[in-house]
């Protein structure tokens, strides 16, 4: 796994983000999420509001976004909840970044299914592009982290880059994705195998019934 997150200096962070507040557009979205819960239960929207705050920071920094402490404090105040309870949420879920990241946050799955299907080759492709686990490239473009299972085992190995998943990867396809992003292009999202659209079986869709009919006709026993 990647090394520990380096939390920026607090004085410097407060100087830059101490006046954070939702922009009108993000405030409107935040109030929609809060409105989905009964009166007095607005704290249930904490995950959504932390995500919105991180996205606004991302917009302002032209990165994938992160949550400086003053921003977490702002969300806590907005929802009328203790700061520590909000901080607990932000530190529990890896969808929230507690330190600055690059424009593209590359999260490689290193869990067993992806490892068995070649995640080491994906890490090698990143390394040969200059990415280092737990770090951001000098140009501020890429941050690389290794994470646990993201639920795409049937199309392993995979990575998540910002909000998009890229699946059925190998060294060459991962290299191409990083090159496209660096050049301002949008790579194909999802599976990178030609002819495959989601995670349907290779060679066409099958069903248990078709397998039974083909090999042993047990219908008379049902």
């Amino acid at each position: 796994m990647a090394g520990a997150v380096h939390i920026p200096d607090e004085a410097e962070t407060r100087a830059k983000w101490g006046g954070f507040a939702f922009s009108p557009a993000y405030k409107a979205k935040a109030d929609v999420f809060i409105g989905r819960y009964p009166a007095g239960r607005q704290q249930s929207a904490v995950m959504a509001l932390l995500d919105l705050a991180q996205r606004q920071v991302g917009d302002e920094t032209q990165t994938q976004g992160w949550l400086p402490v003053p921003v977490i404090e702002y969300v806590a105040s907005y929802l009328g909840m203790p700061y520590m309870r909000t901080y607990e949420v932000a530190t529990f879920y890896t969808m929230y970044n507690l330190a600055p990241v690059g424009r593209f946050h590359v999260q490689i799955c290193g869990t067993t299914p992806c490892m068995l299907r070649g995640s080491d080759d994906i890490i090698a492709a990143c390394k040969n592009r200059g990415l280092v686990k737990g770090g951001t490239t000098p140009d501020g473009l890429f941050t690389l982290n290794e994470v646990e299972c993201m639920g795409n085992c049937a199309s392993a190995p995979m990575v998540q880059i910002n909000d998009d998943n890229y699946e059925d990867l190998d060294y060459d396809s991962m290299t191409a994705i990083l090159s496209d992003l660096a050049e301002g292009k949008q790579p194909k999202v999802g599976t990178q195998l030609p002819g495959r659209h989601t995670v349907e079986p290779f060679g066409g869709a099958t069903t248990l019934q078709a397998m039974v009919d083909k090999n042993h006709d047990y219908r008379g026993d049902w």
Side-chain angles (χ1 to χ4, degrees):
M1 298 297 291
V5 172
H6 174 68
I7 305 297
D9 177 76
E10 183 173 351
E12 185 178 311
T13 300
R14 288 194 179 279
K16 181 173 179 59
W17 297 104
F20 177 87
F22 281 133
S23 68
Y26 277 102
K27 184 180 186 305
K29 293 178 181 179
D31 291 342
V32 167
F33 282 113
I34 293 173
R36 294 176 179 175
Y37 298 96
R41 299 289 184 177
Q42 71 274 10
Q43 296 178 10
S44 300
V46 61
M47 290 188 66
L49 265 64
L50 285 172
D51 179 68
L52 291 175
Q54 179 167 276
R55 291 177 185 275
Q56 181 172 324
V57 171
D59 290 347
E60 295 179 14
T61 58
Q62 292 299 297
T63 67
Q64 205 257 340
W66 68 293
L67 290 173
V69 168
V71 175
I72 301 175
E73 292 174 339
Y74 173 81
V75 171
S77 176
Y78 199 91
L79 293 172
M81 62 190 297
Y83 162 75
M84 185 51 63
R85 289 186 58 195
T86 312
Y87 183 74
E88 288 170 348
V89 175
T91 55
F92 182 83
Y93 294 98
T94 57
M95 64 185 282
Y96 304 117
N97 303 314
L98 300 181
V101 295
R103 183 176 178 185
F104 301 108
H105 189 190
V106 181
Q107 300 180 80
I108 297 180
C109 178
T111 315
T112 305
C114 279
M115 181 181 66
L116 293 174
R117 292 278 293 170
S119 63
D120 286 349
D121 293 336
I122 311 310
I123 293 174
C126 292
K127 181 179 179 180
N128 288 342
R129 181 80 196 190
L131 282 67
V132 177
K133 283 195 288 186
T136 300
T137 53
D139 58 8
L141 204 56
F142 296 105
T143 296
L144 176 65
N145 288 112
E146 184 179 343
V147 298
E148 295 303 314
C149 182
M150 291 190 282
N152 292 75
C153 304
S155 50
M158 63 85 62
V159 303
Q160 179 178 324
I161 303 178
N162 293 359
D163 291 331
D164 295 322
N165 286 355
Y166 299 87
E167 307 154 31
D168 290 314
L169 296 168
D170 58 20
Y171 180 92
D172 291 336
S173 58
M174 187 65 202
T175 299
I177 288 169
L178 295 175
S179 295
D180 283 348
L181 292 173
E183 295 171 8
K185 302 175 183 177
Q186 174 58 59
K188 177 182 179 294
V189 175
T191 177
Q192 301 300 301
L193 291 179
R196 198 179 194 195
H197 302 289
T198 52
V199 290
E200 73 279 8
F202 294 111
T206 61
T207 64
L208 180 59
Q209 183 64 54
M211 294 171 63
V212 170
D213 290 345
K214 179 179 179 181
N215 297 306
H216 302 285
D217 188 1
Y218 293 138
R219 287 174 295 179
D221 298 331
W222 293 351

